Amino acid sequence: MKRMIWSLVMIMLVSTLAACSGGNNGSNGAATNTKPEATQEGNQAGNAGSESSYKDKYDPPVTISTVWGIDPELKFKNNETIENNVATKWALDTLGIDIKTLWSVTDSNNAFETKMRLSLNSGNDIPDVVTIGNAQLAHELIDSGLFREVGSLFDEYASDTWKNAMALDENVWNPYARDGKRMGIPVLDYAYNHDYLLWIRQDWLDALDLEAPKTIAELEHVMEQFKNNNPSGLKPNEVTPLSIGTKNKLSTWMGDPSWIFGAFGTLPEQWNVADDGTLEYGSIHPGMKEGLALLRDWHSKGYIPQEIALWDENQTAAPAVAGTAGIIPGPYWMSGWPLSDTATNDPDAVWKPYPIPTGEDGTAMRHGTHYTNGVTLISTKMEHPEAFFTYQNYLFDNYADPKEGSEFENGLFKNYDYDIADDGTLLRWEDIPGGYVNAVRYLLVRDGARIPDAQMKALMNLADGKEPVTRLEKEVKAAYGLETPAAAVVLLEQEEISYKNMFTGPPTPTMNSKLDYLNKIELTAFNEIIYGNKDINAFDDFVAQWKAEGGDQITAEVNEWYNGVK
Amino acid sequence: MKRMKDWPFHVMIFPSLLFLIVFSYVPMLGIVISFQDFKPWLGFTGSPWVGWDNFSMLFERKDSAQVIWNTFIIAGLKIVFNLVVPFVFALLLNEIRKAYISRTIQTLVYLPHFLSWVILGGILVDILSTDGGLVNRFLVAAFGIDPVPFLSSGNWFRFTVVVSEVWKEFGYGTIVFIAALANINPSLYEAAEVDGASRWKQTLYITIPSLLPMAVVVGTLSLGNILNAGFDQIFNLYNALVYEKGDIIDTFVYRTAILEGKFGLATAVGLFKSVVSMVLIVISYRLAYKLANYRIF
Amino acid sequence: MYHKTIPYRIFNVCNTILLLLIAICCVLPVWHVLAVSFSAKAAADGNLVSLWPVGFTTVAYEKTLNNPVFLGSIWVSLQRTVIGTVLTLVLACLAAYPLSKETYAFRGRNIYAWLFVFTMIFNGGLVPFYVVIQKLHLVDSFWVLVLPGAVNVWLTILLLNFFRGVPKELEEAALIDGAGHFKTLFKIYLPVSLPALATLGLFSIVFHWNSWFDGLLYLNDKTDYPLATFLQTVIVQRDMSSMSFNPKELELLSQTTVRASQIFLGALPVIIIYPFLQKYFVKGLVLGSVKE
């Protein structure tokens, strides 16, 4: 008995000691952690005078610290990690830049945003450079004062290729401007990536001897025929003539219904330029009422999913893949995914891209894609901000749109995103020994370097029947579906109907307190109308309520911002 | 009998208490951020104090009352049914005399607990669809009624949420009662048998009274969830048509605080929920002690 | 004997049928996931699979079983579950025993009990917790999966209620024999509480097996993730619009069938353990040990 007590006391003593030493470690850690901070400040002060130290390669190497939100699907091979891989080796060998990882997290369930916010708490591990995709977080970080003005750095150090790419749309800086200062470098993305068009079952059109619809009225006829006279022999209740969903948003990336309102002169859930030059919220435009009436009619006729309010983006793809949907609105690259699978379920299925149909007066609108999908921030404590530009300049000059015969003509890193067999053939995807790894995601800035119009140019070349020779042309051919070049042509034919959300600033004060409620009543009102639960005049009630509950104030705040950047 | 010294009791509790202090009580100090506009880079001491502002964010919205009521009613129904269904199921299972059948059923009903709501949500949307979903096809064929809008009408949504939750969890909840059944002293039944008591009488006078303390304990502790209506489930199933009856505190906090990084608001809402739970648990504890002279914990 | 009577027999047959039907309802979703995991990808993406595989193939399982991250995460989960459960059970037994005493035997018990329960209800939220984890240097350590949740108050309270059911005569006899409280706990209470311990063990195992948030937030490297965290990163749908994928990548992301196989394989160990623990839920165990 006594022995037992003793052993228990011992166990507890040990655990107490362990806990105490844990506490000690904690305070030790805090103590040592304050030091680098102090020295960093000292260094910064010392460096202030000699800032024009831009080099193409640094010897001795300089360090850039960063943090990573790693895509859950990103693979690693050859025992590499995000801290130490082919891209970090390349940066060190080629540019003399040592990429140091402060922490990383698999970016799922908002883990990156959460961890980024939490990590600021300790105050000591602010990354030199961090790329943020989430607009809300980006605004928060900019306002934290931990990151510096970057516009002047960009003007001083960025290469011409990068500057030209950035100049394609002057508005890309707007979201990150504060009092005229540019606080973050926009991450450029390909233009039109999330613009959309209609994918229609060509085999059904042919069997019914129909032309592709050019107007909403023609579209209705096509849907009616698809449903009641289905060429694949489906019963009317088995067909989804137009696969769209409204679960999360009316303006989204696949199965998108917003163009229907475009035919009536508005785009929901974004800020459009009104006739008087001010910004107005698209969802309260009178055109919405007509669009909703039309959707309500289609819902009652069974042209759109009966449970449309439950359908999210991925759900809209299911009937399209199954071969029971006739039309699905979506991006130009959808023939690569998910529509490539339709043929397995219905061997006769052929999807073809078509333009957005117009309203009676010829009006058509679709929501446009911003040229940017994130922002890179630079810490106020970074010792060598110019090194970041060395890194990015190299990628913009050599990787963004490399010509035939250049270093990156086939891809980024051999044996990662491409490989070359002994006989000289180019290997991709599953053919790469050890498997495909999208090494672009190992780079400091997401996607490496993208020039907004480069991808469309490559697609146009392919559409003209040119053989792929540049990296982008080869990649597009290998990774995008067969119909993608043709879809790109369709997309550009309607270039003038693409309207971007004109408000890109930080959330206004009223948005912070009221926006969630306003979004809620908006989506509820619209879905109730579509389902026929409420009269179409419920739209007017919604507009009145929206304005009274803070919408008018938000409109004023948005326009105040707009006047500042216009 | 001489009273034993109670120092070993303190020693036995000490390790657990240590863990609780480190991982619960120390972090609990962070509740102060309910009263701050907390910014991580300013820390606990540097963030501006905003008094009760975070609480008014929760209470002053037009839909505040609705959201809190939705939470309360959905969570309340779940607590009741998650207690009653496993209790009854355990009693029924107790009557099955062939051990292998009983064990098979136990194992099978325990399975849904291991599917996450992301997956089950997708399955439910499919089978409950008004447009050819399995359940509605059956109802229409069997009873000739109109398809039931299980997920797209507010009242039905609450029904669906509660039923599907109970269906997912009752098998897991049954385990406690099965274990409690095993703890009943068999001599009680033997004596009843000798007295010629019917099975129904045995259940009524032996089994149920023996299980009641456990049911009271489980029920009281689950009051801690009175304002947790099940985020994962609702988040995966709700849609604009049911916001009025289905939007709950946790989905509201997710949209307005978690995604937006408003830690102060999130903590304030947490504190509100805790206070409500605490009050209910204290009441329940007192009632059990007064009425049945039983200390739940 | 009641179970020989006709009404009871009728009841018994109906009862068995009813419970079997309910059990079947509970199996269907799992069965569906299983069917998807054995289906062809296109059929799964087209939502064409209900309860039988369409275009039967085992490709998904080949991919899953060849995925070192998946297999590694099972190993992490096993470690976490075993270590975490043992720790939780030891702490729960030690704490539940004194708490199961009445106030006249242990004067401080009510204060302790409320101290325990209070932590179940109140918490400071994510921020201060993260700070504590960080100060203890638990970030990116395996122990972050085990230590913070080591004391499970819910299970402790459950156990203390089971302990109250232990016949008082047993304890008194032991105390009269001169045994101390530790000996009484280990030699008397634990052996007669096997059904309770099996229940607690099961709950603790399931808790550890299913926890994912701690792994996601506090571990840096995906290869250190427990299974539940790994699965969570795989099954949650992502907003593709905010990302810049090419269609080939999206195709890799939309592996419905592989996901289904991972869900199934991931749940398999905890599903299997239940029938194994069921043998401790046998009636009469308590009495049996009393007679010993």
Side-chain angles (χ1 to χ4, degrees):
Chain A
M1 181 62 208
K2 263 193 182 152
R3 221 175 30 185
M4 202 147 65
I5 293 176
W6 269 116
S7 53
L8 267 158
V9 169
M10 284 309 289
I11 289 170
M12 277 177 332
L13 272 177
V14 170
S15 58
T16 321
L17 284 175
C20 289
S21 68
N24 281 339
N25 283 346
S27 49
N28 283 346
T32 46
N33 280 336
T34 48
K35 266 190 213 156
E37 208 171 308
T39 44
Q40 262 181 14
E41 267 165 31
N43 281 343
Q44 200 200 10
N47 279 340
S50 57
E51 252 199 30
S52 62
S53 45
Y54 182 91
K55 293 195 188 76
D56 286 336
K57 184 173 181 182
Y58 296 87
D59 190 22
V62 297
T63 301
I64 298 181
S65 67
T66 191
V67 296
W68 305 92
I70 307 169
D71 189 275
E73 283 297 317
L74 183 59
K75 304 267 188 303
F76 293 92
K77 67 199 291 189
N78 310 329
N79 289 325
E80 292 180 345
T81 62
I82 196 70
E83 292 167 37
N84 188 1
N85 56 51
V86 62
T88 55
K89 267 184 237 117
W90 164 82
L92 190 60
D93 296 346
T94 315
L95 307 171
I97 295 174
D98 185 12
I99 306 287
K100 188 179 147 219
T101 300
L102 296 179
W103 53 261
S104 60
V105 66
T106 301
D107 195 12
S108 176
N109 300 69
N110 312 307
F112 177 75
E113 283 85 359
T114 308
K115 190 146 177 169
M116 186 72 220
R117 288 179 174 122
L118 291 175
S119 74
L120 296 177
N121 204 16
S122 49
N124 53 327
D125 42 10
I126 308 297
D128 288 340
V129 171
V130 62
T131 299
I132 308 281
N134 177 306
Q136 171 75 30
L137 178 62
H139 292 308
E140 248 177 88
L141 294 181
I142 289 172
D143 295 335
S144 73
L146 297 167
F147 297 92
R148 59 169 292 169
E149 186 271 341
V150 294
S152 58
L153 290 174
F154 184 81
D155 292 343
E156 189 177 350
Y157 298 122
S159 71
D160 289 341
T161 320
W162 195 2
K163 280 183 178 154
N164 291 338
M166 202 71 93
L168 285 172
D169 180 1
E170 284 170 0
N171 293 326
V172 290
W173 290 95
N174 284 350
Y176 316 113
R178 294 289 188 280
D179 305 326
K181 282 196 217 154
R182 290 167 290 171
M183 301 298 296
I185 305 171
V187 177
L188 295 175
D189 194 8
Y190 294 135
Y192 305 112
N193 237 356
H194 298 286
D195 276 43
Y196 45 76
L197 39 78
L198 296 190
W199 290 93
I200 305 183
R201 283 287 292 272
Q202 185 65 42
D203 55 318
W204 286 5
L205 286 177
D206 291 346
L208 292 163
D209 207 17
L210 289 168
E211 288 286 314
K214 292 192 181 58
T215 64
I216 295 285
E218 289 174 27
L219 177 71
E220 275 193 33
H221 179 63
V222 169
M223 293 194 294
E224 193 272 329
Q225 286 293 304
F226 280 1
K227 185 170 183 73
N228 296 320
N229 207 357
N230 189 280
S232 294
L234 298 166
K235 290 189 213 112
N237 64 0
E238 293 171 340
V239 189
T240 310
L242 175 63
S243 190
I244 53 178
T246 57
K247 180 174 177 183
N248 301 318
K249 287 163 146 198
L250 289 182
S251 171
T252 182
W253 58 278
M254 186 160 71
D256 171 288
S258 67
W259 51 275
I260 295 164
F261 304 98
F264 301 101
T266 187
L267 288 168
E269 294 169 355
Q270 68 177 43
W271 294 85
N272 305 314
V273 182
D275 296 334
D276 61 359
T278 62
L279 292 190
E280 64 165 6
Y281 187 54
S283 299
I284 59 166
H285 186 281
M288 287 300 295
K289 195 171 173 182
E290 298 171 72
L292 286 169
L294 189 65
L295 275 174
R296 177 195 180 95
D297 182 44
W298 289 357
H299 186 261
S300 71
K301 287 178 176 155
Y303 295 166
I304 54 178
Q306 290 306 290
E307 294 276 39
I308 187 169
L310 304 180
W311 281 34
D312 64 8
E313 293 79 4
N314 289 313
Q315 181 92 33
T316 61
V321 172
T324 58
I327 305 168
I328 180 167
Y332 68 91
W333 42 258
M334 270 179 75
S335 80
W337 178 90
L339 299 182
S340 53
D341 278 337
T342 313
T344 323
N345 295 317
D346 181 355
D348 299 327
V350 180
W351 289 100
K352 289 278 184 201
Y354 285 103
I356 300 290
T358 63
E360 272 173 44
D361 58 355
T363 314
M365 294 169 85
R366 70 174 191 230
H367 72 63
T369 314
H370 288 288
Y371 285 6
T372 156
N373 73 0
V375 60
T376 302
L377 304 175
I378 296 180
S379 163
T380 49
K381 291 179 182 159
M382 183 172 182
E383 285 179 56
H384 297 285
E386 67 279 0
F388 171 69
F389 290 89
T390 302
Y391 190 98
Q392 277 307 92
N393 284 344
Y394 192 91
L395 289 174
F396 267 98
D397 293 341
N398 299 294
Y399 175 73
D401 192 11
K403 296 291 169 274
E404 199 179 351
S406 70
E407 181 186 356
F408 296 118
E409 67 163 337
N410 292 315
L412 188 59
F413 297 120
K414 186 165 172 289
N415 188 241
Y416 286 82
D417 53 336
Y418 76 95
D419 209 339
I420 293 168
D422 293 338
D423 61 357
T425 43
L426 186 59
L427 302 176
R428 287 191 184 277
W429 311 116
E430 295 84 359
D431 299 333
I432 299 168
Y436 164 81
V437 170
N438 190 1
V440 178
R441 301 207 183 276
Y442 297 167
L443 295 174
L444 198 49
V445 174
R446 185 164 61 176
D447 303 321
R450 285 183 168 184
I451 298 173
D453 59 358
Q455 174 131 319
M456 275 294 149
K457 280 187 187 157
L459 281 164
M460 288 302 124
N461 288 339
L462 292 183
D464 289 345
K466 197 174 153 236
E467 276 299 303
V469 285
T470 69
R471 175 183 72 87
L472 282 173
E473 286 165 5
K474 286 184 208 168
E475 261 183 21
V476 163
K477 183 146 172 103
Y480 288 58
L482 283 177
E483 293 292 338
T484 301
V489 173
V490 170
L491 203 63
L492 287 190
E493 271 172 19
Q494 285 191 309
E495 204 176 349
E496 78 289 345
I497 70 158
S498 170
Y499 295 89
K500 294 178 192 137
N501 184 359
M502 294 304 289
F503 175 70
T504 53
T508 69
T510 313
M511 281 185 182
N512 268 328
S513 55
K514 303 280 170 107
L515 194 60
D516 180 63
Y517 179 67
L518 293 178
N519 287 342
K520 220 171 118 173
I521 58 172
E522 175 185 332
L523 206 54
T524 306
F526 291 175
N527 277 298
E528 296 271 20
I529 292 172
I530 294 171
Y531 270 63
N533 298 347
K534 282 212 177 116
D535 191 60
I536 184 71
N537 292 322
F539 176 76
D540 302 322
D541 302 339
F542 153 70
V543 174
Q545 206 186 348
W546 187 87
K547 290 184 167 184
E549 293 296 334
D552 274 341
Q553 216 174 329
I554 289 176
T555 307
E557 289 166 353
V558 164
N559 276 295
E560 195 183 318
W561 171 88
Y562 187 54
N563 291 330
V565 297
K566 199 156 55 175
Chain B
M1 197 176 80
K2 192 174 143 268
R3 232 184 72 114
M4 293 211 20
K5 287 211 177 93
D6 61 4
W7 66 263
F9 292 148
H10 296 280
V11 173
M12 284 167 149
I13 287 184
F14 181 72
S16 291
L17 201 62
L18 194 70
F19 274 100
L20 289 182
I21 288 170
V22 173
F23 292 110
S24 294
Y25 280 101
V26 171
M28 226 182 267
L29 300 174
I31 284 181
V32 294
I33 69 178
S34 324
F35 303 96
Q36 292 179 333
D37 179 16
F38 182 76
K39 304 280 185 213
W41 54 91
L42 298 177
F44 299 106
T45 47
S47 294
W49 293 88
V50 294
W52 297 91
D53 275 13
N54 287 320
F55 294 88
S56 43
M57 286 279 279
L58 170 64
F59 292 112
E60 281 176 3
R61 271 169 58 125
K62 274 229 133 187
D63 54 351
S64 293
Q66 205 181 57
V67 167
I68 295 170
W69 175 245
N70 288 343
T71 312
F72 185 75
I73 194 84
I74 292 175
L77 288 172
K78 281 182 176 178
I79 288 174
V80 171
F81 286 102
N82 271 334
L83 188 61
V84 172
V85 174
F87 189 90
V88 173
F89 195 83
L91 288 179
L92 293 178
L93 204 59
N94 195 35
E95 296 307 314
I96 291 181
R97 304 189 61 81
K98 292 203 173 67
Y100 70 95
I101 296 184
S102 162
R103 286 190 190 179
T104 309
I105 291 174
Q106 273 178 50
T107 310
L108 295 184
V109 297
Y110 156 92
L111 291 179
H113 177 77
F114 295 96
L115 289 181
S116 66
W117 279 112
V118 184
I119 304 298
L120 278 178
I123 295 176
L124 283 181
V125 168
D126 271 353
I127 64 171
L128 297 179
S129 163
T130 53
D131 189 17
L134 200 68
V135 175
N136 268 314
R137 270 201 313 229
F138 169 77
L139 291 176
V140 171
F143 304 104
I145 53 171
D146 285 339
V148 178
F150 286 108
L151 292 169
S152 45
S153 140
N155 287 324
W156 278 109
F157 181 75
R158 284 183 185 167
F159 169 86
T160 309
V161 163
V162 173
V163 170
S164 59
E165 157 91 11
V166 170
W167 163 76
K168 182 177 186 284
E169 298 300 337
F170 83 91
Y172 195 62
T174 305
I175 294 173
V176 171
F177 295 114
I178 293 174
L181 281 169
N183 253 13
I184 299 176
N185 195 336
S187 58
L188 293 174
Y189 292 108
E190 283 159 21
E193 203 88 324
V194 172
D195 291 348
S198 72
R199 186 60 178 166
W200 174 240
K201 293 261 167 189
Q202 292 180 20
T203 307
L204 212 54
Y205 294 111
I206 299 173
T207 319
I208 292 181
S210 310
L211 288 187
L212 268 186
M214 194 50 80
V216 172
V217 170
V218 173
T220 302
L221 294 183
S222 64
L223 286 177
N225 286 322
I226 189 64
L227 289 178
N228 294 329
F231 173 79
D232 280 341
Q233 182 194 24
I234 306 264
F235 186 69
N236 279 295
L237 289 176
Y238 81 157
N239 58 77
L241 291 171
V242 300
Y243 281 161
E244 207 183 317
K245 300 277 173 104
D247 193 18
I248 55 166
I249 294 177
D250 285 354
T251 46
F252 155 80
V253 169
Y254 177 77
R255 295 193 309 266
T256 59
I258 312 275
L259 288 184
E260 312 263 305
K262 289 180 191 152
F263 293 107
L265 175 59
T267 313
V269 174
L271 183 58
F272 164 69
K273 285 169 34 175
S274 301
V275 169
V276 174
S277 302
M278 189 71 190
V279 169
L280 288 177
I281 288 182
V282 169
I283 292 174
S284 172
Y285 180 88
R286 286 274 161 81
L287 278 180
Y289 189 60
K290 271 224 165 109
L291 299 179
N293 200 24
Y294 189 79
R295 280 191 200 280
I296 293 160
F297 44 78
Chain C
M1 292 293 272
Y2 67 86
H3 43 85
K4 297 274 168 61
T5 63
I6 304 253
Y8 187 77
R9 282 188 179 175
I10 295 172
F11 162 79
N12 211 347
V13 171
C14 296
N15 185 33
T16 309
I17 291 172
L18 175 75
L19 297 194
L20 279 174
L21 283 178
I22 293 175
I24 289 170
C25 280
C26 291
V27 183
L28 290 182
V30 181
W31 186 258
H32 166 78
V33 171
L34 199 58
V36 169
S37 70
F38 282 110
S39 293
K41 178 178 171 303
D45 285 345
N47 207 0
L48 296 171
V49 185
S50 53
L51 292 176
W52 209 250
V54 177
F56 182 89
T57 167
T58 55
V59 163
Y61 285 89
E62 282 161 33
K63 281 193 181 162
T64 299
L65 294 174
N66 282 323
N67 182 350
V69 181
F70 177 80
L71 298 178
S73 71
I74 290 191
W75 175 234
V76 176
S77 271
L78 281 176
Q79 284 175 287
R80 143 180 218 171
T81 304
V82 171
I83 298 175
T85 300
V86 169
L87 190 59
T88 299
L89 285 185
V90 170
L91 289 171
C93 289
L94 285 175
Y97 174 78
L99 289 178
S100 71
K101 303 293 170 210
E102 292 300 324
T103 31
Y104 64 80
F106 178 24
R107 255 175 296 168
R109 84 157 294 282
N110 281 355
I111 296 168
Y112 280 119
W114 281 104
L115 275 176
F116 272 59
V117 171
F118 202 71
T119 63
M120 247 169 72
I121 304 168
F122 288 89
N123 69 78
L126 196 54
V127 186
F129 190 72
Y130 188 85
V131 174
V132 169
I133 297 293
Q134 208 175 27
K135 294 282 183 230
L136 293 175
H137 293 262
L138 286 175
V139 174
D140 216 16
S141 148
F142 168 79
W143 293 100
V144 78
L145 304 176
V146 174
L147 297 183
V151 175
N152 188 323
V153 177
W154 199 88
L155 292 184
T156 308
I157 292 175
L158 211 57
L159 188 61
L160 87 83
N161 277 285
F162 275 113
F163 278 170
R164 283 174 178 169
V166 174
K168 290 280 167 293
E169 314 86 67
L170 286 177
E171 187 190 350
E172 278 158 18
L175 292 178
I176 287 167
D177 285 352
H181 283 299
F182 281 97
K183 194 164 184 180
T184 314
L185 169 61
F186 286 103
K187 291 280 154 82
I188 307 287
Y189 272 67
L190 295 190
V192 302
S193 300
L194 273 181
L197 290 177
T199 313
L200 252 64
L202 183 66
F203 284 157
S204 183
I205 287 168
V206 170
F207 168 82
H208 276 290
W209 196 264
N210 284 348
S211 297
W212 57 269
F213 190 72
D214 43 11
L216 187 62
L217 209 56
Y218 306 122
L219 297 178
N220 280 343
D221 199 341
K222 202 161 127 180
T223 51
D224 295 334
Y225 279 179
L227 182 74
T229 310
F230 171 80
L231 281 181
Q232 190 68 23
T233 65
V234 175
I235 61 173
V236 167
Q237 277 185 6
R238 282 174 295 163
D239 180 8
M240 312 283 185
S241 60
S242 65
M243 285 169 240
S244 39
F245 291 110
N246 68 45
K248 188 75 188 179
E249 285 177 89
L250 285 172
E251 194 185 328
L252 294 173
L253 286 178
S254 73
Q255 299 196 332
T256 322
T257 58
V258 176
R259 209 178 304 155
S261 71
Q262 289 169 339
I263 290 165
F264 180 73
L265 289 179
L268 207 53
V270 260
I271 292 175
I272 289 174
I273 199 143
Y274 186 39
F276 178 76
L277 284 174
Q278 273 170 350
K279 70 173 177 217
Y280 295 103
F281 296 151
V282 179
K283 285 176 216 171
L285 254 170
V286 177
L287 189 76
S289 33
V290 173
K291 280 177 180 163
E292 260 169 20

